[in-house]
Amino acid sequence: MHAIGIDIGGTKIAGAVVDELGGIVRSDRVPTPAGDAASLESAVVEMIEGLRADEEIGAVGVAAAGFIDAAQSTVYYAPNIDWRNEPFREKLEARVGGTVVVDNDANAAGWAEFRFGAGRLVSDMVMLTIGTGVGGAIVAGDRLFRGGFGAGAELGHLRVVPGGLACGCGQRGCLEQYGSGRALLRMAGEIADAGGIGQALARARAEQGELDGALVGGLIAAGDPGAVAALRQLGHWLGEAAASLSAVLDPQRFVFGGGVAIAGELLLEPIREAYLEHLPARGYHPEPDFVVAELQNDAGVVGAADLARVWVAEHA
Ligand SMILES: [Zn+2]
């Protein structure tokens, strides 16, 4: 059965009709309407109606950033949209009919990797999505882990440095401050300030006015020692966090997605090193794989559609 997946991002809404193998049958994308929840809802309804024309659709899955309840219905809180205890599922079902489910966007992306991408051969997987922030998803025993209230797997807010840098969530020392794209730019800036191997970073920053992801990514790809050192620092923190997660979840595989993961082995190597340093009873514990995500930009829509299909199968 075909399902529709919708991924509401900060700048765009992406949608697609997705088949049972995770293939995209057709897709659409529009800019995210600024600010108000009513125009966002209408944009999503319009996209669903456009996508399902002449198409038998079994269910609709919507992914968005935020805390969403375990019943995949109510958005407790969203950071980018004015949603507070928003019954989004109910509202959408009333407007488009049929079954709609709502999930966290990082969970949807992780589920897509588990079903159709880098996690498809394991039963237990942790995914960390390294974008501007750090998103997380956990699959345990072939099931997406949501937690009792639905807001689990917020791995970006795992505390890695007690009393560390302030985080947007109101706490200090969260992984997001040490393992995100924003953290990489901060580390690259510190290396640029220090001179030495940071000279190319400092020159590029002076030419462009500030460091951004494309600039640091380009220097990493060119093998610049300052930019690679920044990436290694980032990988170190991610590897430490992975060791803590392993102690709790014991996954066979860690999957890294998001823009920074394009660095591939250059990122995975320091992650593995830090992981092994912090792994309890090293040598006695089977070691998980560390791999890069396979689905990239489509993961949100593919995962949202498949989670809707799973819901229908389990509630039939
Ligand atoms: Zn935080």
Side-chain angles (χ1 to χ4, degrees):
M1 129 186 154
H2 286 181
I4 288 177
I6 305 278
D7 187 3
I8 303 173
T11 56
K12 63 172 190 329
I13 304 172
V17 176
V18 182
D19 69 24
E20 289 188 5
L21 299 174
I24 289 184
V25 176
R26 79 164 97 151
S27 63
D28 189 11
R29 110 180 359 201
V30 296
T32 306
D36 99 85
S39 46
L40 178 81
E41 187 184 308
S42 294
V44 171
V45 167
E46 212 171 289
M47 183 173 279
I48 292 168
E49 281 168 354
L51 285 168
R52 74 177 173 190
D54 315 318
E55 188 88 50
E56 184 105 3
I57 297 296
V60 176
V62 181
F67 298 146
I68 295 159
D69 71 350
Q72 296 160 272
S73 299
T74 300
V75 183
Y76 295 128
Y77 164 83
N80 311 317
I81 310 155
D82 188 21
W83 278 341
R84 303 293 180 262
N85 292 313
E86 173 81 6
F88 197 52
R89 173 183 188 159
E90 208 176 291
K91 285 189 174 178
L92 280 183
E93 283 184 343
R95 291 183 68 174
V96 302
T99 297
V100 178
V101 303
V102 187
D103 270 287
N104 171 273
D105 56 352
N107 280 349
W111 183 252
E113 287 295 336
F114 172 71
R115 290 272 288 135
F116 309 112
R120 64 188 174 275
L121 298 176
V122 300
S123 62
D124 292 68
M125 177 202 101
V126 173
M127 177 152 161
L128 289 160
T129 302
I130 310 156
T132 314
V134 174
I138 296 167
V139 175
D142 291 315
R143 294 186 68 86
L144 182 68
F145 172 87
R146 291 193 172 83
F149 299 107
E154 286 287 329
L155 306 182
H157 302 286
L158 188 73
R159 183 178 298 167
V160 292
V161 182
L165 293 167
C167 183
C169 72
Q171 302 302 320
R172 287 186 170 274
C174 296
L175 177 61
E176 186 153 292
Q177 301 308 315
Y178 299 87
S180 62
R182 212 184 287 131
L184 177 67
L185 296 183
R186 186 188 72 243
M187 291 160 178
E190 287 165 3
I191 290 170
D193 292 340
I197 59 167
Q199 287 176 53
L201 281 167
R203 254 195 321 275
R205 183 174 63 183
E207 276 167 24
Q208 196 174 294
E210 62 175 353
L211 293 173
D212 63 18
L215 202 157
V216 174
L219 283 171
I220 289 169
D224 173 65
V228 170
L231 184 70
R232 291 190 65 83
Q233 284 182 22
L234 189 88
H236 178 85
W237 288 111
L238 290 166
E240 278 200 20
S244 297
L245 291 167
S246 233
V248 183
L249 298 164
D250 191 27
Q252 297 124 314
R253 180 162 276 201
F254 282 92
V255 179
F256 295 87
V260 178
I262 292 165
E265 269 306 308
L266 281 175
L267 174 68
L268 296 176
E269 191 187 282
I271 289 175
R272 274 189 211 106
E273 284 172 15
Y275 175 86
L276 289 175
E277 263 172 46
H278 291 87
L279 184 66
R282 181 176 171 184
Y284 294 96
H285 189 299
E287 290 168 18
D289 299 324
F290 294 83
V291 300
V292 168
E294 293 176 8
L295 301 178
Q296 303 295 341
N297 294 334
D298 296 331
V301 289
V302 170
D306 200 64
L307 284 169
R309 223 172 349 235
V310 168
W311 196 94
V312 169
E314 290 182 352
H315 293 81

